[in-house]
Amino acid sequence: MNIPRISLLLCTAVLALPALAQPARPQPAQSAPLRDDSGVVRQQSLSAGRVTGSVDIVVPLGETPVTVRSVAPASVVGQYRIHFAELDVNADGFISRDEALANPALSDEFNALDSKRRGKLDRADLAGWLID
């Protein structure tokens, strides 16, 4: 072997080293107490609830571990029973997102109830909420 060829092989090997190095494992996420700033539950502190379950999600090596917890509320606070006609101000047979603002609990749950993603709710969407 001659010197230029050895130099070329050494340069190639040195340049390839970073590709062979394994990425550093990230620091695991830090667990924190439930905060009361979720914006979803307006009338109840999340930290007042009791943790009813916990599941660790399996993630690929190198990704931050994830734990999902369920919380039973300390009490159910909010107006979860509505009069459809009172909220349907324009009497079109639907409760729009703007009309739902009159009821904080309905406004908070609007996206979950609007499963058809229409931006409005009908009586069928509100099964279990209706008084009338």
Side-chain angles (χ1 to χ4, degrees):
M1 275 194 170
N2 59 22
I3 299 293
R5 188 172 181 163
I6 292 173
S7 296
L8 179 63
L9 289 173
L10 285 174
C11 286
T12 304
V14 168
L15 292 174
L17 282 177
L20 298 174
Q22 294 183 0
R25 183 171 170 90
Q27 294 295 321
Q30 299 297 314
S31 180
L34 292 173
R35 296 185 313 256
D36 295 328
D37 62 354
S38 70
V40 176
V41 179
R42 294 180 189 218
Q43 298 179 0
Q44 179 177 320
S45 165
L46 287 175
S47 59
R50 179 177 54 86
V51 175
T52 57
S54 177
V55 174
D56 292 322
I57 305 296
V58 178
V59 295
L61 183 64
E63 292 188 14
T64 303
V66 175
T67 300
V68 177
R69 293 177 281 175
S70 61
V71 178
S75 65
V76 177
V77 178
Q79 186 180 357
Y80 290 95
R81 304 291 289 164
I82 62 171
H83 290 280
F84 192 92
E86 289 177 10
L87 290 176
D88 184 16
V89 177
N90 62 3
D92 66 350
F94 295 96
I95 296 176
S96 68
R97 190 175 305 276
D98 289 337
E99 291 170 327
L101 291 173
N103 181 301
L106 181 59
S107 182
D108 285 345
E109 301 292 339
F110 193 92
N111 287 340
L113 293 167
D114 185 18
S115 60
K116 299 172 194 143
R117 302 293 179 244
R118 299 177 297 175
K120 57 187 177 181
L121 304 171
D122 59 24
R123 289 180 176 275
D125 296 325
L126 292 167
W129 285 66
L130 299 177
I131 296 171
D132 54 353

